[in-house]
């Protein structure tokens, strides 16, 4: 999905992640790294370490994360 959206002129501005909980971190990470804003249902991550990593990624990429 990421590569497809990146190739479009009218690509999405943000992605909403509504998948099983254990997939939230890797999907959020991939979209943030690709330059997309992320809206994720709870829980955002399964571990504190993943939450800290995503927070740092959001700051480093200047993206939005909710």
């Amino acid at each position: 999905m990421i590569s497809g959206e990146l190739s479009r002129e009218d690509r999405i501005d943000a992605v909403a992640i509504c998948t099983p909980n254990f997939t939230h971190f890797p999907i959020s990470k991939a979209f943030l790294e690709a330059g997309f804003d992320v809206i994720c249902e709870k829980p955002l991550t399964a571990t504190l370490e993943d939450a800290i990593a995503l927070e740092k990624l959001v700051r480093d990429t200047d993206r939005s994360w909710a």
Side-chain angles (χ1 to χ4, degrees):
M1 182 177 172
I2 292 172
S3 61
E5 285 300 321
L6 287 173
S7 69
R8 295 177 59 102
E9 243 182 78
D10 64 341
R11 74 182 197 133
I12 59 173
D13 295 319
V15 63
I17 300 171
C18 304
T19 57
N21 294 349
F22 73 93
T23 65
H24 291 181
F25 174 73
I27 295 171
S28 295
K29 183 177 183 291
F31 274 92
L32 288 166
E33 289 174 338
F36 293 94
D37 293 327
V38 171
I39 303 163
C40 186
E41 69 174 352
K42 294 183 201 174
L44 293 172
T45 67
T47 68
L48 178 59
E49 292 80 17
D50 287 350
I52 292 169
L54 278 183
E55 180 188 25
K56 182 179 182 326
L57 184 57
V58 168
R59 281 186 275 127
D60 291 350
T61 59
D62 197 31
R63 302 309 320 164
S64 296
W65 175 46

